């Protein structure tokens, strides 16, 4: 039975903890346990700072004390403060206490310090020395109080040593020693005392009576709510009992609470937090595993209990490697997310910019359309006015012809017709109105025509009053859709050959002769 329990205990303390499934407890219960642990670790900073202040105060008090009783009392307090906090300083003050009491001839007190130190020797690496000291003690020569102190120290030394190494034959001997000293301590204790239930739980666990162990340990925890080293020990033993029953869920729950209790009382040289971290690592919770493992390693450094690094060694390198891999994956994902957001932001800016330009363009087109409508109305009025003038002129001309004929002034009428003055006057009026209307309808017409011609072959800009050249009038008619040269010739009073000559001449000046006339048709249009 001892061999089986020993293997389980060492498996928990030294090997990565494999949890294949957490069931039996609600997620709320585990959340509550982790919350307690996180709060305890957060509060521990103030607790350790207060401990440091107490230690500094005790050191000053020791320096000021001038008598043996006062100094030995302060040394007792300093040893209590340094226990499980700084193993090097603890050793220093044990040495001082033993030396001081021996100097004053107080062999009883010196011996008690010497016995009490046994419990703390393994955690600072003095395992061989601790058990040599244990083996050197003749229990039969000790008084009752010293016996209990010896059994307590030997029990803790055996338990600490059992948790530190990988399994081999020697460890069964250490575990058997732990059980032996635990039972010896029970034998000298009042069975009605609360602490007896704690020791009984350890006894039943060693005997394989798991139900009795769980009952005794739960009874102790329910009736002792004060955080102290026994409370942590009870939680650890209860966790081990449930592990023996293959209840890894309950083992996890109670080892978390044990780690929280360690933090509540400022214990830095224990191993519960490392066990929690190892379990979380196997469950894949790398963030929390890394956080707890970092705290556990920091505790080793602060307490100088470097032998505890043996417990961290199997898990820490793999955990660190996996955590760095996870961080790299997260950084890569974050990089892609940032790049994606930048691309999306850039696209959004481009879309907004394009939308803004579209809105501006629509506003401009709307304005131009309004102006075009106003211009259309204006030029339509001019055309109607021109038609009215033509009708009135024709009527006047008709009356003049009638009067000339009635008066027999045929020669005068012939001269008037032959001179062409009437036609010239009407043509001049038409050109003025047409030129002015067309240029207002197409204000950039000349610039756009010049853009189609070779650089040194463009038209000059018009001056006031506006008057188009014959070439520009031909192009204007073409822009208005009148492409027939014969009709253009009649409108402009030119011969058909002259119109052809002008058109060919302008084509020869174009950058692209093949598309020149089609390009003229697109002037003033929008894509």
């Amino acid at each position: 039975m001892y061999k089986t329990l020993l293997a389980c205990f060492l498996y928990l303390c030294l090997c990565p903890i494999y949890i294949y499934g957490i069931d039996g407890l609600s997620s709320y219960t585990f959340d509550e346990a982790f919350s307690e642990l996180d709060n305890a670790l957060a509060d521990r900073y103030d607790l350790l700072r207060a401990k440091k202040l107490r230690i500094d105060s005790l050191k000053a008090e020791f320096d000021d004390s001038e008598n043996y009783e006062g100094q030995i009392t302060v040394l007792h307090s300093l040893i209590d403060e340094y226990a499980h906090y700084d193993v090097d300083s603890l050793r220093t003050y044990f040495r001082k206490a033993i030396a001081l009491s021996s100097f004053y001839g107080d062999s009883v007190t010196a011996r008690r310090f010497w016995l009490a130190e046994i419990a703390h020797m393994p955690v600072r690496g003095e395992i061989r020395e601790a058990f040599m000291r244990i083996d050197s003690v003749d229990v039969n020569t000790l008084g009752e109080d010293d016996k209990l102190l010896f059994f307590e120290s030997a029990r803790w030394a055996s338990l600490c040593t059992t948790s530190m190494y990988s399994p081999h034959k020697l460890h069964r001997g250490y575990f058997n020693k732990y059980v032996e000293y635990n039972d010896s301590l029970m034998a000298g204790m009042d069975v009605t005392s609360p602490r007896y239930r704690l020791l009984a739980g350890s006894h039943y666990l060693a005997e394989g009576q798991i139900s009795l162990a769980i009952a005794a340990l739960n009874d102790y925890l329910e009736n002792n709510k004060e955080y102290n080293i026994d409370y942590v020990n009870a939680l650890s033993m209860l966790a081990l009992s449930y592990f023996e029953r293959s209840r890894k869920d309950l083992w996890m729950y109670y080892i978390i609470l044990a780690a929280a209790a360690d933090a509540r009382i400022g214990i830095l040289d224990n191993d519960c937090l490392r066990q929690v971290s190892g379990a979380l690592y196997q469950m894949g919770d790398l963030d929390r595993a890394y956080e707890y493992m970092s705290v556990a390693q920091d505790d080793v450094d602060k307490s100088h209990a470097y032998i505890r690094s043996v417990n961290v060694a199997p898990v820490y390198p793999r955990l660190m490697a996996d955590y760095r891999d996870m961080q790299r994956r997260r950084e890569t994902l974050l990089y892609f997310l940032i790049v994606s957001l930048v691309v999306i932001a850039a696209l959004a800016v481009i879309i907004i910019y394009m939308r803004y330009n579209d809105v501006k363009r629509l506003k401009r087109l709307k304005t131009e359309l309004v102006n075009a409508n106003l211009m259309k109305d204006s030029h339509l009025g001019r055309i109607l006015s021109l038609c009215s003038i033509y009708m009135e002129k024709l009527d006047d001309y008709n009356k003049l012809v009638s009067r000339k004929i009635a008066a027999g002034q045929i020669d005068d009428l012939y001269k008037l017709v032959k001179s062409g003055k009437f036609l010239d006057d009407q043509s001049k009026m038409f050109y003025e109105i047409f030129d002015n209307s067309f240029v207002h309808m197409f204000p950039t017409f000349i610039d756009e025509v010049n853009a189609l011609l070779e650089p040194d072959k463009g038209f000059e800009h018009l001056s006031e009053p506006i008057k188009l050249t014959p070439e520009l009038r031909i192009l204007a008619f073409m822009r208005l859709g009148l492409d027939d040269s014969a009709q253009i010739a009649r409108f402009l009073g030119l011969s058909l050959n002259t119109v052809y000559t002008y058109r060919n001449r302008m084509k020869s000046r174009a950058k692209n002769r093949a598309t020149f006339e089609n390009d003229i048709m697109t002037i003033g249009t929008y894509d």
Side-chain angles (χ1 to χ4, degrees):
M1 183 63 225
Y2 285 161
K3 184 175 181 179
T4 302
L5 188 55
L6 173 62
C8 292
F9 185 85
L10 293 170
Y11 174 82
L12 289 174
C13 296
L14 304 172
C15 302
I17 299 167
Y18 293 86
I19 295 185
Y20 300 100
I22 298 293
D23 52 19
L25 288 178
S26 68
S27 60
Y28 171 78
T29 304
F30 273 103
D31 289 343
E32 189 178 49
F34 279 120
S35 177
E36 168 63 16
L37 176 55
D38 292 338
N39 290 336
L41 291 173
D43 296 341
R44 193 176 64 165
Y45 175 79
D46 292 333
L47 184 146
L48 295 178
R49 184 173 60 179
K51 179 185 280 289
K52 180 68 167 58
L53 292 175
R54 288 197 304 272
I55 288 172
D56 292 341
S57 177
L58 288 169
K59 287 179 179 179
E61 185 179 347
F62 178 80
D63 292 338
D64 294 339
S65 180
E66 297 179 355
N67 58 74
Y68 168 68
E69 289 77 9
Q71 289 181 330
I72 209 70
T73 300
V74 173
L75 287 174
H76 268 293
S77 298
L78 281 169
I79 286 170
D80 288 341
E81 291 291 347
Y82 277 120
H84 306 292
Y85 173 66
D86 184 341
V87 298
D88 288 346
S89 297
L90 180 64
R91 177 182 182 181
T92 298
Y93 283 98
F94 265 122
R95 293 290 185 264
K96 282 187 178 183
I98 294 170
L100 182 65
S101 55
S102 298
F103 178 78
Y104 282 98
D106 187 356
S107 60
V108 174
T109 301
R111 185 170 185 80
R112 289 186 64 80
F113 280 122
W114 186 80
L115 291 173
E117 187 182 13
I118 293 172
H120 304 280
M121 293 174 70
V123 80
R124 65 178 184 240
E126 297 176 348
I127 296 173
R128 180 172 174 273
E129 293 84 348
F131 283 94
M132 286 178 62
R133 187 177 295 190
I134 290 172
D135 292 339
S136 70
V137 174
D138 184 357
V139 178
N140 296 323
T141 64
L142 300 176
E144 288 304 315
D145 290 341
D146 287 351
K147 279 184 182 179
L148 292 178
L149 177 59
F150 169 72
F151 292 142
E152 182 69 44
S153 296
R155 172 180 177 268
W156 272 111
S158 301
L159 180 62
C160 181
T161 304
T162 303
S163 70
M164 286 184 180
Y165 298 94
S166 26
H168 53 74
K169 185 176 180 181
L170 182 63
H171 287 81
R172 181 175 181 183
Y174 284 135
F175 189 73
N176 288 341
K177 285 181 180 292
Y178 164 73
V179 176
E180 175 189 342
Y181 296 128
N182 183 81
D183 291 350
S184 297
L185 201 57
M186 285 177 61
M189 189 172 291
D190 182 1
V191 296
T192 62
S193 67
R195 195 159 189 270
Y196 185 86
R197 301 301 296 160
L198 169 61
L199 300 177
S202 299
H203 170 78
Y204 292 137
L205 179 60
E207 292 294 326
Q209 297 174 302
I210 306 303
S211 296
L212 292 176
I214 291 173
L217 293 168
N218 273 320
D219 181 60
Y220 174 81
L221 291 171
E222 289 172 6
N223 292 284
N224 296 274
K225 301 297 185 181
E226 181 182 358
Y227 288 116
N228 53 40
I229 192 66
D230 282 342
Y231 190 81
V232 175
N233 185 222
L235 287 169
S236 300
M237 287 298 167
L238 187 56
L240 184 58
S241 300
Y242 280 116
F243 188 86
E244 177 67 7
R245 275 201 164 175
S246 298
R247 289 300 305 272
K248 298 181 182 68
D249 53 344
L250 290 171
W251 168 82
M252 181 72 170
Y253 176 73
Y254 283 107
I255 206 67
I256 293 171
L257 294 184
D262 275 344
R264 291 292 183 193
I265 58 178
I267 291 179
L268 302 183
D269 63 356
N270 210 345
D271 193 43
C272 296
L273 189 60
R274 199 280 311 167
Q275 293 185 50
V276 174
S277 175
L280 290 170
Y281 172 59
Q282 293 301 325
M283 294 163 61
D285 189 349
L286 292 181
D287 283 321
R288 190 171 267 167
Y290 175 80
E291 178 186 352
Y292 292 157
M293 186 62 76
S294 297
V295 175
Q297 188 61 35
D298 188 52
D299 287 350
V300 169
D301 295 336
K302 288 179 179 177
S303 66
H304 305 116
Y306 296 116
I307 197 167
R308 284 296 186 191
S309 297
V310 174
N311 303 83
V312 176
V315 178
Y316 193 69
R318 297 200 305 275
L319 172 58
M320 288 298 295
D322 290 347
Y323 184 78
R324 284 194 294 268
D325 288 342
M326 182 187 70
Q327 287 296 93
R328 281 194 290 269
R329 290 195 298 272
R330 286 180 175 176
E331 289 172 0
T332 301
L333 177 60
L334 181 61
Y335 171 78
F336 281 117
L337 288 175
I338 292 173
V339 170
S340 300
L341 288 175
V342 169
V343 171
I344 292 171
L347 290 174
V349 169
I350 293 172
I351 291 171
I352 292 171
Y353 178 76
M354 294 174 64
R355 176 63 179 167
Y356 174 74
N357 284 340
D358 288 343
V359 170
K360 284 181 62 179
R361 182 169 175 269
L362 288 174
K363 286 183 178 179
R364 179 170 56 82
L365 290 176
K366 183 178 179 181
T367 301
E368 291 180 359
L369 183 60
V370 171
N371 292 335
N373 286 332
L374 293 174
M375 192 177 297
K376 177 194 69 176
D377 294 341
S378 174
H379 294 308
L380 182 60
R382 289 189 180 190
I383 292 172
L384 292 175
S385 176
L386 180 63
C387 291
S388 174
I389 291 172
Y390 277 157
M391 292 175 66
E392 185 177 335
K393 292 287 185 180
L394 186 60
D395 183 56
D396 290 343
Y397 191 76
N398 187 46
K399 289 179 180 179
L400 177 64
V401 170
S402 297
R403 284 198 306 271
K404 292 289 186 183
I405 293 174
Q409 298 174 342
I410 302 301
D411 293 337
D412 291 341
L413 181 62
Y414 175 73
K415 291 178 182 179
L416 178 64
V417 173
K418 188 176 181 181
S419 68
K421 183 176 183 304
F422 178 80
L423 184 60
D424 290 341
D425 291 341
Q426 304 313 308
S427 297
K428 181 179 180 182
M429 183 185 302
F430 170 76
Y431 294 149
E432 288 178 357
I433 294 175
F434 175 81
D435 292 351
N436 189 276
S437 298
F438 183 83
V439 170
H440 280 87
M441 289 174 63
F442 299 94
T444 62
F445 182 74
I446 295 177
D447 290 333
E448 293 188 56
V449 169
N450 286 339
L452 300 175
L453 302 178
E454 295 292 342
D456 57 342
K457 297 180 180 180
F459 292 98
E460 295 182 358
H461 285 82
L462 302 178
S463 58
E464 295 292 340
I466 297 173
K467 184 177 181 181
L468 297 176
T469 62
E471 294 96 326
L472 288 174
R473 286 193 184 120
I474 292 172
L475 295 177
F477 278 115
M478 292 171 61
R479 172 62 189 86
L480 294 175
L482 187 62
D483 189 48
D484 183 61
S485 296
Q487 287 184 322
I488 294 174
R490 284 194 295 272
F491 266 111
L492 298 180
L494 301 173
S495 68
L496 183 60
N497 287 334
T498 301
V499 172
Y500 280 134
T501 300
Y502 279 138
R503 291 181 72 163
N504 289 330
R505 187 185 300 168
M506 285 184 287
K507 276 187 182 181
S508 66
R509 295 157 60 184
K511 294 177 182 177
N512 188 339
R513 299 184 61 184
T515 63
F516 175 70
E517 293 189 350
N518 288 331
D519 294 336
I520 293 295
M521 297 295 292
T522 64
I523 290 177
T525 61
Y526 296 97
D527 294 333

